[in-house]
Amino acid sequence: MPAVDKLLLEEALQDSPQTRSLLSVFEEDAGTLTEYTNQLLQAMQRVYGAQNEMCLATQQLSKQLLAYEKQHFALGKGDEEVISTLHYFSKVVDELNILHSELAKQLADTMVLPIIQFREKDLTEVSTLKDLFGIASNEHDVSMAKYSRLPKRKENEKLKTEVAKEVANARRKQHLSSLQYYCALNALQYRKRVAMMEPMLGYTRGQINFFKKGAEMFSKRMDSFLSSVSDMVQSIQGELEAEAEKMRVSQQDLITVNESVYTPDSDVTSPAINRNLIQKAGYLNLRNKTGLVTTTWERLYFFTQGGNLMCQPRGAVAGGLIQDLDNCSVMAVDCEDRRYCFQITTPTGKAGITLQAESKKEYEEWICAINNISRQIYLTDNPEAAAIKLNQTALQAVTPITSFGKKHEVRHPSQNVKNMENDKIIPSESVSNQEPTQLIAPGTPIQFDIVLPAMEFLDQNRGGRRANPFGESEDSSKDEEEDSLLQQMFIVRFLGSMAVQSDATSEVIYEAMRQVLAARAIHNIFRMTESHLMVTSKNLRLIDPQTQVTRTSFDLPTVTQFAAHQDNRRLIGFVVHLSEPLGEESMSAYVFESNTEGEKICYAISLGKEIIEAKKDPAALAQLMKSVPFTNDGKFILLNDASEEEGAIREEGEESEA
């Protein structure tokens, strides 16, 4: 016999769309079998009814043949031979009636009864288990939805425990019902073959026995054929018993698994997280906006394929593209008081989709996998080794700190070699041969906050006139603005800053960008401080958009290197020379994300430096003033769409205040 298709019991717990899709094939097969069985039973019942009618008809015929003698024919002379003949025929018909009765009984027992038992027992069992599986699956979905809505507050630990227990019970119930349902569907593939052949075997044997007794007109060849069919049925029955025992043992083993398989987020404190994944699949909750302020969450099956994030609803044959992950960024977000939420952002900076994982382990692994895929590691010859190396390098290279005061606590002893004669910093090797470790020392701490949280709290709660935390007054700032020939404002968000060892090439800025973004992704830091970057011909100032207080200021001559990211045009960075309290000098790289192209900010800084140099030479300043247009108040115009830029600044400011 050919191999029988089976559902794998080991995949019942995962309940993936692939398993559901295969299950739908088995359900469709069971539905077709049920419809065909009903039609076959009607045909067999018709045959059995015809045989019963034959018995009644032959019995009536025998009586009618005997009744011929009792008829008073007016011309009945010479009917003795006819009457005796009819009496003989009556006996023959009575004997045939006995054979027909035996055939009818045999058809009822060997043809109609097996197919009825198959329909009422096996097919009804499959239908009942299907309903129980659907109920258990719905209960599991309801419990998972309730679990997904749990808040993160610690005072709800009792509620979380109860809901987690409810999820475990629902998942156990679904697992048990799915195992029973899968076993019934697998057994049905054997039983349907027996159910189709066994009734016809009984029908054929009954007919042969009938004709053997009546005329013995069947040969031994038919007997051998029926014997072979009988052996085949017995063989299938033996296979069914062996497979049933195997499925029973497998079902028992799968039921006696660890309780953590059913409980979501069973190990919250120290889950075993694989940060080197380049492929990931599993169920996530997808956030959908249904109105201006209303949202819904839908539990769907997600998986990665190459550089794409795919989604496959239950029952679907294949998945569909949700997000292209190449050069995307992923970070954890707070969303509607739900746990384990993260957001995927497109390379252009536009917010993409928001997803929620069901456990901390899944949450961390999804973020790491998407981060690895976004760097196109899957295109390398050995993606697994590349992912392991990248994560090890990132973990060793970044140590995040979140305060301004800890910025220079850790300093690599061999950052620079200082020449004591001329008191200048000399790089150890030429610029062209500098490695990333020579640009930025390994283990250099990263600052993620532009202002101390305590200072922000004091600024928000201080009444009256606000004082500048950096010791600058608003009046002096206004005087500087009036004296400056260049004023241009940009909306930026501070990503991070770190000490660097060289400013001779823009590669140090690109390396700082890489390490800052890697640190944010690894440590799930998603908060960014928004500021207004004011570029003047004297300095760069970061201004609070709500209070208009200058957060920090850098003299333009101290900005020695600046560049925009080559791929993500919204990333901008610059290197600043800082003076230490002991008279020493250090260099730090600052990384920002802008609402506009970083090249525009670079152009503004470059123009400011040109103005500083031009002020030393009146002729050069006059030539520069001729080449660059002025505003009505005597300021340089940087861009043709300056009015649009100012409109964008005002709109972003209103949004940040809201």
Side-chain angles (χ1 to χ4, degrees):
M1 288 293 294
V4 177
D5 294 326
K6 293 184 294 184
L7 286 167
L8 298 179
L9 301 183
E10 293 80 4
E11 296 180 358
L13 179 60
Q14 185 180 6
D15 194 24
S16 64
Q18 290 82 359
T19 305
R20 284 296 184 104
S21 180
L22 182 59
L23 177 62
S24 64
V25 177
F26 276 76
E27 290 176 346
E28 181 181 0
D29 183 81
T32 305
L33 179 60
T34 302
E35 183 178 0
Y36 174 77
T37 302
N38 292 331
Q39 297 175 358
L40 181 62
L41 179 59
Q42 291 178 2
M44 290 182 176
Q45 287 176 339
R46 186 174 180 182
V47 172
Y48 172 69
Q51 187 60 42
N52 278 334
E53 184 65 24
M54 178 63 74
C55 295
L56 296 175
T58 53
Q59 185 179 3
Q60 185 68 25
L61 177 59
S62 176
K63 291 179 180 181
Q64 291 298 326
L65 291 176
L66 293 176
Y68 184 82
E69 182 182 7
K70 299 176 181 179
Q71 300 301 319
H72 301 284
F73 294 105
L75 302 173
K77 294 180 180 181
D79 290 342
E80 292 76 14
E81 293 180 359
V82 174
I83 292 172
S84 63
T85 303
L86 291 179
H87 273 268
Y88 181 78
F89 278 121
S90 178
K91 292 178 181 179
V92 173
V93 171
D94 286 335
E95 292 176 357
L96 289 175
N97 185 37
I98 294 173
L99 295 178
H100 281 296
S101 298
E102 292 178 358
L103 177 59
K105 186 176 182 302
Q106 193 170 2
L107 291 179
D109 294 337
T110 61
M111 182 181 72
V112 179
L113 183 60
I115 199 69
I116 291 178
Q117 290 178 344
F118 173 71
R119 185 186 69 171
E120 299 299 329
K121 180 182 178 182
D122 298 331
L123 295 180
T124 304
E125 179 187 8
V126 170
S127 178
T128 303
L129 290 176
K130 178 182 179 181
D131 296 336
L132 294 177
F133 174 72
I135 294 173
S137 181
N138 292 335
E139 290 177 356
H140 176 256
D141 292 342
V142 171
S143 62
M144 281 304 305
K146 184 177 179 181
Y147 176 80
S148 300
R149 292 193 300 268
L150 284 175
K152 295 188 291 186
R153 295 189 299 272
K154 293 185 177 180
E155 55 268 27
N156 293 330
E157 291 298 325
K158 182 178 180 181
L159 176 60
K160 294 177 182 178
T161 304
E162 294 176 356
V163 174
K165 185 176 181 181
E166 180 181 348
V167 171
N169 293 333
R171 187 166 291 177
R172 186 185 302 104
K173 182 178 178 182
Q174 183 192 17
H175 189 200
L176 180 59
S177 62
S178 62
L179 288 175
Q180 294 174 348
Y181 187 34
Y182 289 3
C183 290
L185 288 175
N186 289 340
L188 187 63
Q189 301 304 310
Y190 295 93
R191 291 194 177 103
K192 75 176 181 179
R193 300 187 179 187
V194 176
M196 295 300 105
M197 290 186 288
E198 190 177 11
M200 294 310 301
L201 182 63
Y203 170 80
T204 308
R205 281 180 171 175
Q207 293 290 348
I208 289 177
N209 291 333
F210 174 79
F211 288 112
K212 273 186 176 181
K213 292 180 180 179
E216 296 182 357
M217 54 189 303
F218 287 93
S219 63
K220 293 183 179 181
R221 186 179 62 182
M222 182 60 78
D223 292 337
S224 63
F225 172 73
L226 295 178
S227 177
S228 65
V229 173
S230 179
D231 293 341
M232 186 186 300
V233 171
Q234 292 179 1
S235 175
I236 296 175
Q237 190 69 27
E239 291 180 9
L240 171 60
E241 293 175 358
E243 184 64 26
E245 179 64 21
K246 183 179 178 181
M247 289 189 295
R248 186 190 67 79
V249 174
S250 179
Q251 180 179 356
Q252 189 67 25
D253 294 340
L254 291 174
I255 290 176
T256 57
V257 294
N258 197 320
E259 190 68 20
S260 61
V261 175
Y262 300 103
T263 305
D265 212 8
S266 58
D267 190 4
V268 184
T269 56
S270 58
I273 300 173
N274 185 0
R275 300 185 181 275
N276 306 319
L277 295 174
I278 56 173
Q279 288 183 341
K280 183 68 177 173
Y283 280 99
L284 295 172
N285 292 332
L286 173 64
R287 182 174 180 264
N288 297 315
K289 294 192 68 175
T290 57
L292 294 177
V293 294
T294 58
T295 59
T296 59
W297 294 82
E298 184 178 6
R299 190 168 183 259
L300 298 172
Y301 188 83
F302 288 84
F303 62 95
T304 60
Q305 189 175 45
N308 298 324
L309 179 63
M310 313 291 287
C311 173
Q312 185 174 1
R314 284 184 180 176
V317 179
L321 177 63
I322 291 295
Q323 181 76 46
D324 183 3
L325 299 179
D326 287 346
N327 299 319
C328 283
S329 60
V330 57
M331 63 175 58
V333 294
D334 284 331
C335 189
E336 301 180 9
D337 199 22
R338 284 178 174 245
R339 301 177 301 166
Y340 311 137
C341 293
F342 58 94
Q343 186 180 76
I344 302 175
T345 305
T346 62
T348 60
K350 182 180 179 182
I353 58 175
T354 302
L355 302 169
Q356 180 191 19
E358 69 176 36
S359 65
K360 184 177 181 180
K361 178 178 182 296
E362 290 291 308
Y363 162 78
E364 295 281 356
E365 288 187 351
W366 269 108
I367 290 180
C368 293
I370 295 175
N371 188 44
N372 292 337
I373 294 172
S374 67
R375 301 174 186 177
Q376 299 181 349
I377 297 177
Y378 63 92
L379 298 177
T380 60
D381 296 334
N382 192 348
E384 291 80 4
I388 293 173
K389 182 178 180 181
L390 179 64
N391 283 285
Q392 287 179 349
T393 303
L395 286 173
Q396 295 172 0
V398 293
T399 304
I401 59 175
T402 57
S403 67
F404 210 31
K406 297 181 180 180
K407 177 180 176 183
H408 299 292
E409 287 183 1
V410 180
R411 183 72 56 84
H412 198 276
S414 61
Q415 274 189 345
N416 295 313
V417 178
K418 174 165 286 194
N419 190 328
M420 301 304 295
E421 296 179 358
N422 52 16
D423 200 25
K424 292 183 180 180
I425 295 176
I426 302 176
S428 58
E429 294 184 10
S430 62
V431 175
S432 60
N433 297 327
Q434 284 183 327
E435 298 293 334
T437 56
Q438 295 174 319
L439 299 175
I440 300 176
T444 301
I446 297 176
Q447 172 193 343
F448 293 118
D449 287 343
I450 196 69
V451 179
L452 282 172
M455 298 178 68
E456 289 183 340
F457 177 79
L458 291 175
D459 287 342
Q460 293 175 2
N461 294 276
R462 184 184 294 122
R465 182 176 179 179
R466 305 178 66 96
N468 192 319
F470 289 91
E472 299 178 3
S473 64
E474 297 181 3
D475 295 338
S476 61
S477 299
K478 291 180 179 179
D479 294 339
E480 289 181 2
E481 292 178 4
E482 292 176 358
D483 295 339
S484 177
L485 294 176
L486 170 67
Q487 288 184 21
Q488 188 68 21
M489 184 177 289
F490 304 92
I491 297 177
V492 295
R493 284 169 293 279
F494 180 70
L495 297 179
S497 65
M498 60 193 308
V500 298
Q501 299 185 131
S502 172
D503 64 345
T505 174
S506 60
E507 292 296 328
V508 67
I509 298 178
Y510 301 146
E511 179 65 19
M513 290 178 179
R514 187 194 69 79
Q515 293 197 21
V516 167
L517 295 178
R520 281 183 170 270
I522 291 175
H523 298 281
N524 298 329
I525 300 175
F526 53 88
R527 182 190 176 205
M528 293 185 291
T529 304
E530 183 173 296
S531 304
H532 288 173
L533 176 63
M534 176 67 76
V535 181
T536 68
S537 58
K538 295 182 178 181
N539 53 30
L540 301 180
R541 294 207 310 272
L542 289 175
I543 303 173
D544 190 307
Q546 297 182 1
T547 62
Q548 299 302 312
V549 173
T550 300
R551 287 173 169 166
T552 185
S553 177
F554 306 105
D555 292 337
L556 208 55
T558 64
V559 180
T560 58
Q561 192 67 248
F562 50 91
H565 196 276
Q566 296 172 338
D567 297 325
N568 189 349
R569 300 296 184 181
R570 292 156 57 95
L571 292 181
I572 173 71
F574 52 82
V575 178
V576 179
H577 272 264
L578 301 175
S579 298
E580 298 295 329
L582 299 179
E584 299 180 354
E585 289 188 355
S586 63
M587 292 176 286
S588 295
Y590 292 80
V591 181
F592 296 87
E593 180 186 33
S594 172
N595 281 9
T596 58
E597 293 184 3
E599 293 293 341
K600 296 181 180 180
I601 302 179
C602 292
Y603 174 73
I605 298 175
S606 176
L607 182 59
K609 285 182 167 291
E610 290 182 9
I611 294 175
I612 293 176
E613 294 297 326
K615 284 183 177 180
K616 300 176 182 179
D617 185 2
L621 180 61
Q623 184 65 27
L624 180 63
M625 296 175 66
K626 290 180 180 180
S627 61
V628 181
F630 282 84
T631 60
N632 294 330
D633 55 351
K635 302 294 190 300
F636 283 102
I637 297 178
L638 296 181
L639 305 171
N640 294 330
D641 55 348
S643 60
E644 297 180 1
E645 182 72 28
E646 293 174 359
I649 292 173
R650 287 194 296 270
E651 292 178 2
E652 293 292 337
E654 293 175 359
E655 291 182 0
S656 61
E657 292 177 0

